[in-house]
């Protein structure tokens, strides 16, 4: 070899909507061993915010990164043309995280959310996640917040995966290429 360092393709993030499960799910668990792939597919709530699913992501990184640090890769690639689906599909874990996202976004004040959305919720627990209804009723701030949430989830996955890689290679440079448009600043922070 020419004493060149290589770039490792660790995974590809691709969130799709599947009628069998609520919420978005990883399009393929190719990073996992076959027995773990089957187990991951059986998890009902496929949300990234489900601790079980995060465990599968971590196992996948561990599976893919074995022995790589000793070869000194130039960087670890989280995928090319990564994507997420903006369809209105929330799992229970997504819904809980969405409400936490809104609490933070609106400073914990339901009154601020109500003034922005034109609603009269008594608490964040009452807030729904119906993107289609928000769009049809012209509730564009609500529609926008749902879209921001999906972009946050997409960024959170990339950050989580980078942290998992750095557990195995603390000096790792981690990135992705050819991603969908969205809140790029959040994804690369």
């Amino acid at each position: 070899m020419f004493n060149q360092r290589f770039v490792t393709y660790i995974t590809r993030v691709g969130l799709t909507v599947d009628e069998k499960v609520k919420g978005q799910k990883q399009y393929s668990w190719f990073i996992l061993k076959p027995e773990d792939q089957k187990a991951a597919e059986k998890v009902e709530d496929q949300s990234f915010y489900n601790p079980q699913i995060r465990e599968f992501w971590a196992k996948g990184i561990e599976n893919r990164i074995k022995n790589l640090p000793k070869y000194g890769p130039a960087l670890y690639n989280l995928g090319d043309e990564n994507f997420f689906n903006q369809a209105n599909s929330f799992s229970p874990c997504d819904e809980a995280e969405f409400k936490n996202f809104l609490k933070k976004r609106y400073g914990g004040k339901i009154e601020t959310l109500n003034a922005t959305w034109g609603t009269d919720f008594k608490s964040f627990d009452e807030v729904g996640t119906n993107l289609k209804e928000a769009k049809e009723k012209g509730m564009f701030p609500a529609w926008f917040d749902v879209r921001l949430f999906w972009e946050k989830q997409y960024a959170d996955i990339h950050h989580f995966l980078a942290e998992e890689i750095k557990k195995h290679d603390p000096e790792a440079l981690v990135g992705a290429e050819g991603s969908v448009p969205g809140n790029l600043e959040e994804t690369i922070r």
Side-chain angles (χ1 to χ4, degrees):
M1 213 144 194
F2 294 105
N3 196 21
Q4 293 180 348
R5 296 170 70 200
F6 64 101
V7 174
T8 59
Y9 192 95
I10 294 291
T11 189
R12 181 176 187 221
V13 177
L15 302 179
T16 63
V17 174
D18 184 332
E19 294 176 13
K20 296 179 219 156
V21 297
K22 282 192 93 174
Q24 299 199 35
K25 62 176 264 182
Q26 172 64 0
Y27 82 103
S28 170
W29 287 108
F30 72 89
I31 64 174
L32 292 170
K33 295 176 181 173
E35 61 273 15
D36 289 330
Q37 286 178 1
K38 289 176 184 165
E41 290 295 331
K42 290 179 181 176
V43 176
E44 191 171 317
D45 186 334
Q46 290 280 316
S47 170
F48 167 73
Y49 298 113
N50 180 345
Q52 280 183 286
I53 292 299
R54 284 187 185 211
E55 284 180 35
F56 284 113
W57 276 110
K59 276 185 176 182
I61 294 300
E62 184 177 16
N63 182 48
R64 297 281 286 192
I65 203 168
K66 281 185 200 154
N67 298 315
L68 289 177
K70 69 182 178 184
Y71 297 109
L75 62 96
Y76 294 88
N77 187 340
L78 294 178
D80 182 26
E81 297 184 13
N82 291 349
F83 63 93
F84 66 102
N85 191 313
Q86 295 258 356
N88 188 42
S89 184
F90 278 75
S91 74
C93 288
D94 290 331
E95 287 181 18
E97 188 63 28
F98 179 64
K99 290 172 185 186
N100 290 333
F101 166 78
L102 292 175
K103 286 176 190 172
K104 184 176 179 184
R105 180 160 166 76
Y106 291 100
K109 298 181 181 181
I110 194 67
E111 302 82 16
T112 307
L113 177 135
N114 283 332
T116 304
W117 285 22
T119 54
D120 61 352
F121 297 118
K122 304 291 184 251
S123 74
F124 285 96
D125 291 333
E126 294 179 15
V127 177
T129 57
N130 193 326
L131 184 63
K132 184 178 179 189
E133 180 184 5
K135 198 172 181 181
E136 287 172 357
K137 290 183 176 181
M139 297 172 59
F140 294 110
W143 176 85
F144 182 72
D145 282 344
V146 170
R147 302 264 322 203
L148 277 181
F149 171 74
W150 288 127
E151 291 177 11
K152 176 191 175 301
Q153 181 187 65
Y154 182 73
D156 287 349
I157 293 170
H158 285 80
H159 295 255
F160 175 82
L161 295 174
E163 290 169 14
E164 287 299 312
I165 288 169
K166 288 179 181 186
K167 287 179 182 177
H168 302 276
D169 186 352
E171 302 300 317
L173 296 175
V174 182
E177 55 184 292
S179 205
V180 296
N183 189 346
L184 186 59
E185 290 80 12
E186 179 70 22
T187 303
I188 63 172
R189 74 165 163 81

